[in-house]
Amino acid sequence: IPNLGAKSAKTGSQDKQQYVCPFCHSKRGLSLMGLRSVSEISVSLSQMFSSQFNDDKKALAFSDNVQDAAHHAGFFNHRTWRFGLRTAIQEYSATNTGLVSLDAHKAASDARLHADKVNEIRHLSNLVLVLLLTFGGGSVKRNGVYDQVVAALEGRDLVEFWGIEANPSVETLREAIALGKERKVDFLLAVGGGSVIDGTKLIAAGLLYDGDAWDIVLKGQAGKTVPLATVLTMSATGSEMNSGAVISRYETKEKYAFYGDYPVFSILDPETLYSLPKRQVACGLADTFVHVLEQYMTTPHQSRLMDRWAEGILHTVVEIAPKALADERDYDTMSEYMLSATLALNDMIRMGVTQDWATHMIGHELTALHGLTHGATLAIVINGTLRVLRGQKRGKLLQYGERIWGIAGGSEEERIDRTIAANEAFFRSLGLSTRLSEEGIGEETIAEIERRFTAAGDRFGEAQNVDGAMARRILEACL
Ligand code: NZQ
Ligand code: ZN
């Protein structure tokens, strides 16, 4: 596009110059967006926001200057309001031909200006006409959480879907999506642990998707979603405050993560954890601990703040683990466990630092192939990851050893040896296996995982070096 503006003649006074159009010579026909961008954008924003065809009003601005952006936002906000007011006055005047007092005109125009907001609220409450409640296998019936939820929602149009299994399967979730489409549900409430919540994230996406739900998992990212909220009954995954979900396909023994939407709210009541079997508490604590390690045990000196938040969660889990396992009805302990699990994987401790996640990816394969509980897979694999990648993770291993396990004396190699041993001892103290052989898993599974990673061209870890061959070395180091 030729830059005609620069060569064009100008008219008007020095501080209010207008460009003359080089083709038609009109004096006010040419506007340079660069000079007038704020006004132009504000007008287009007003138009878009007042359009009845725009039912999802959002403005996204990119700027390389924070002060400019703040100034523009204030300007747009003010100007959009003024345009809205003008339109309201104009609309009222056009529909009212009789004589009206100024006060009455003001009141009527005001009402019109705010009518849009009322409509928006009505639109929101319309969303919650039909509510789909999703559950697992029945633990919430036995511990009274179901009764509490249903009592709180009395008078609403509720649809229930039961049977989302631990490690939720696409096979089951397809049924929930079909039910939700048939009943035209507008809002989802997941009542359960990470599996019910993850499954519900796929339902939320599947309800607005025409194809098969497994496509969404393979794509790794959902498109539009129906809003969802959660009532958490099992602390481990952080799914109540993150956008991730891990879905299995039983017929092919596959298990992959995808990103959906964040819950709009989550209710966390530590008393819901009182009925958890000890093994679930142990797996939940292990999962929480490894979530932190995946975001911490990577590169040193990236962020003091992230390191210390991460170490704060690790310390807390180490302190509360024996108490949570001894008495799952201890309110204070269970509330700290609940909050630790949420904060471990809600995007808080990952800001500006490299992440690993290789242990999780290998763990998902062990669950897919053997049905081993998620936290239990991590309690095994993390030890292999640390042993094999001790060189790459050297700085963080020394810091972790010193700050969490108080390991300070001796040569660096000795300190790393003792740190890896202390890490394994922690998972054993939860009553979990730390070796593949204890779970009867051996070479056949290792070969299959190596094959799958290699075939998919996967490369995980902060250095992207955990491919099929490296996954084999890690698994062999856990035998
Ligand atoms: O199905 P019900 O009857 O509810 O029983 C469940 C299930 O059998 C039971 N349970 C839950 N709350 C209970 C209870 N039993 C008694 N009292 C209660 N209050 O516990 C069993 C396990 O529940 P599940 O939801 O499977 O556990 P968890 O929260 O550990 O979720 C595991 C799933 O989450 C995925 C895992 O891969 C696995 O599929 N993850 C999700 C993540 C995420 N969304 O960000 C990250 C994690 O790393 C993880 O991968
Ligand atoms: Zn996990």
Side-chain angles (χ1 to χ4, degrees), residues 136-140 142-143 164-168 192-196 198 201 233-239 242 244-246 255 272-273 275-277 280 287 291 345 357 360 364 374:
S139 68
V140 294
R142 294 188 289 278
N143 62 15
I164 299 180
E165 43 304 73
N167 309 312
S195 293
V196 175
D198 282 9
K201 286 179 183 169
T233 67
M234 155 83 200
S235 280
T237 63
S239 191
N242 68 38
V246 193
K255 187 179 190 214
T272 60
L273 306 182
S275 55
L276 280 174
Q280 286 299 338
D287 196 16
H291 288 162
L345 196 50
W357 298 109
H360 263 72
H364 290 336
H374 174 63

Side-chain angles (χ1 to χ4, degrees), residues 383 400-401 405 407 416-427:
N383 303 295
Y400 169 62
W405 302 112
I407 296 167
I416 292 173
D417 283 342
R418 285 167 60 203
T419 300
I420 294 174
N423 183 73
E424 182 169 0
F426 169 68
F427 290 102

Side-chain angles (χ1 to χ4, degrees), residues 270 274 323-324 327-336:
Y274 286 2
K323 294 183 195 165
D327 180 8
E328 65 278 2
R329 302 179 78 85
D330 173 345
Y331 186 92
D332 290 346
T333 300
M334 297 314 264
S335 61
E336 295 222 65

Side-chain angles (χ1 to χ4, degrees), residues 47-57 116 123 224:
Q47 295 295 331
M48 287 191 301
F49 271 60
S50 58
S51 164
Q52 57 174 321
F53 300 110
N54 181 4
D55 60 358
D56 188 20
K57 297 183 168 70
D116 247 354
H123 183 63
K224 276 201 154 194

Side-chain angles (χ1 to χ4, degrees), residues 279 282-283 325 379 425-434 438-439:
R279 183 172 164 82
C283 287
L325 289 170
F426 169 68
F427 290 102
R428 294 210 84 83
S429 77
L430 301 178
L432 298 172
S433 311
T434 56
E438 292 173 86
E439 298 293 331

